[in-house]
Amino acid sequence: MSKRLVKRQRHPGWHLTLSGLLLTGAATFLLYRPAAEERTSDLPVIAPTDAPVPHQAANADQLAAALYAGIDSTLADLGIWPALYSKRRQEYFDRIEVGVPADLPLAEVNLGISRFVQRLGGQVLSASERRGRVEIRGGFGEVQTTIFILSPVVERRRTGNIAIVIDDFAEDDPIAAHFCAIPQPLTFSILPRASQAPALAERVLANGHEVLVHLPMEPQGGASLGANAILVGLDDEEIRRRVRRALQNVPHARGVNNHMGSKATANERVMRLVLSELKDRNLLFLDSRTTASSVAYQLAVDMDVRAINRDLFIDEIADAQTIQGRLWELAAIAAQSGQAIGVGHNRRETLIALLAVLPQLEKRGFRFVPVSQLLP
């Protein structure tokens, strides 16, 4: 039975209200712009705003207006930027044509739009594939309100690989268990002095994450780091011994990053000793860059030790909303450079932010990897 096409009465007030609800999020949709020479976006990644979600429609007119006003947000969540789609209001039903980037499956966009229609109180009346494109007809009851036409395009979303390193783990406790349960690969940096370091390293590995040693190193100002920290005043053999002990205390570690260390990482003698121990074991060094005076990365390159710098500290301010913003900044770096490393800490606010943002970034095509995968 064919679905009815009913000439809808337009209600400008309803339409304007819905449009106004999402107007403040309009900048969010400028995720990308296709660049002809690269065939990818060159605009920064912008986080979604908390635009109000319209209530479920009570009739066909309301559904049509809600779909027309709200589709921008749904497409933005998939990483589809405004230059790739067009919207047209028509007498009997609205027409929304969407260019689907080459790295995004048509089926995923189909599912996203279908769920969007249903969330607003409508239903998918039909969905068909014809000549390589998909047509989705949405409506209210048997009244068709909107047709979505999905067509593949050659442009690709600008994305990248992201490594999230979480520092300061000391015990196999509830917060560690919650971080371990995050499905995206993370890198856990474990303090070697912790009595439960071996058990935590085993849990981290069993959950598909990566392990680093969070090596205590002397900071400027002389803050206490406990026993076995790497101090500038130690002799060569004692520094080597402390590095070896730290590596033994954290099984499965792929390498080391510095805990504090603004003084030690700026000292060439100290870093040469630390890096030589890592080189003997083919382990990496992540410079957390706690000082601009660090010599660690360049010295590692000179010594042929696998090394990399962090790009952002994501939780210098322990506020979940602020950390979410930093994660979107990290994504913008990855989109521009192809990869990025963010360093955070084992805090509740950081956990909340990761749970909120990582799935959204994955939907937009970003890939989360252990830090070791970002090194040559």
Side-chain angles (χ1 to χ4, degrees):
M1 181 177 67
S2 61
K3 304 301 179 185
R4 290 187 294 165
L5 300 180
V6 178
K7 184 175 180 179
R8 302 191 307 269
Q9 296 295 319
R10 296 296 184 191
H11 299 289
W14 170 260
H15 179 217
L16 290 174
T17 299
L18 281 169
S19 298
L21 290 174
L22 293 162
L23 187 58
T24 57
T28 297
F29 312 139
L30 296 177
L31 293 170
Y32 307 98
R33 179 182 302 156
E37 65 277 11
E38 294 184 41
R39 309 304 287 173
T40 58
S41 149
D42 59 3
L43 288 184
V45 178
I46 301 175
T49 58
D50 294 326
V53 177
H55 296 296
Q56 286 200 348
N59 55 50
D61 285 344
Q62 291 183 5
L63 178 66
L67 293 175
Y68 191 87
I71 188 61
D72 306 81
S73 181
T74 293
L75 296 178
D77 283 344
L78 292 165
I80 298 175
W81 58 99
L84 286 189
Y85 63 88
S86 64
K87 305 190 295 183
R88 188 163 70 248
R89 304 229 69 178
Q90 300 181 148
E91 186 174 17
Y92 290 99
F93 58 86
D94 298 331
R95 184 181 184 91
I96 300 175
E97 299 189 33
V98 181
V100 179
D103 63 315
L104 179 61
L106 276 172
E108 187 172 337
V109 184
N110 185 345
L111 180 61
I113 290 175
S114 297
R115 287 175 172 171
F116 168 59
V117 172
Q118 293 163 359
R119 189 168 66 249
L120 293 180
Q123 57 185 306
V124 175
L125 304 178
S126 68
S128 60
E129 185 172 356
R130 183 183 308 167
R131 295 191 297 276
R133 71 178 193 175
V134 172
E135 293 186 1
I136 306 167
R137 298 177 183 272
F140 190 91
E142 292 190 351
V143 178
Q144 179 176 312
T145 62
T146 313
I147 181 171
F148 301 91
I149 300 173
L150 315 181
S151 304
V153 295
V154 298
E155 286 84 4
R156 302 176 67 86
R157 296 173 295 178
R158 185 178 286 281
T159 61
N161 293 326
I162 298 174
I164 303 291
V165 180
I166 306 298
D167 285 348
D168 291 352
F169 285 103
E171 303 296 335
D172 190 8
D173 56 13
I175 191 72
H178 286 301
F179 275 100
C180 279
I182 291 176
Q184 294 82 10
L186 302 175
T187 299
F188 288 63
S189 194
I190 301 174
L191 291 163
R193 64 173 180 262
S195 62
Q196 296 186 34
L200 178 55
E202 294 291 348
R203 179 197 283 268
V204 168
L205 189 69
N207 280 270
H209 303 296
E210 186 168 79
V211 177
L212 293 180
V213 176
H214 199 33
L215 185 64
M217 304 182 77
E218 185 175 1
Q220 297 289 348
S224 176
L225 294 175
N228 297 308
I230 306 301
L231 306 177
V232 171
L234 298 173
D235 63 38
D236 291 6
E237 184 52 40
E238 180 61 16
I239 289 175
R240 288 183 177 275
R241 187 185 69 80
R242 292 188 179 194
V243 173
R244 290 194 292 267
R245 175 180 291 180
L247 294 173
Q248 291 169 358
N249 287 350
V250 184
H252 312 298
R254 299 295 301 274
V256 165
N257 76 327
N258 52 292
H259 173 53
M260 299 192 183
S262 56
K263 185 173 183 179
T265 58
N267 186 291
E268 183 173 340
R269 178 187 72 89
V270 171
M271 288 313 306
R272 189 175 295 277
L273 293 166
V274 172
L275 292 169
S276 65
E277 291 295 322
L278 301 184
K279 183 175 182 178
D280 289 346
R281 296 161 178 78
N282 194 30
L283 298 176
L284 67 87
F285 184 77
L286 167 63
D287 190 349
S288 298
R289 298 290 295 176
T290 55
T291 174
S293 301
S294 174
V295 299
Y297 175 75
Q298 188 55 55
L299 187 59
V301 171
D302 295 342
M303 295 175 61
D304 198 27
V305 176
R306 298 174 70 226
I308 197 166
N309 290 318
R310 61 94 184 153
D311 291 289
L312 282 182
F313 282 118
I314 62 174
D315 58 1
E316 291 176 299
I317 298 175
D319 171 75
Q321 197 79 17
T322 302
I323 298 167
Q324 289 187 39
R326 294 291 278 176
L327 288 168
W328 287 99
E329 290 178 37
L330 188 68
I333 294 172
Q336 184 66 33
S337 304
Q339 65 180 47
I341 297 175
V343 175
H345 300 84
N346 60 338
R347 299 169 179 159
R348 178 177 179 274
E349 296 84 359
T350 304
L351 175 66
I352 291 170
L354 293 176
L355 291 171
V357 174
L358 266 54
Q360 295 183 63
L361 289 174
E362 275 194 326
K363 284 175 64 177
R364 299 193 189 197
F366 289 90
R367 296 165 296 280
F368 292 92
V369 299
V371 71
S372 64
Q373 290 191 20
L374 298 187
L375 280 79

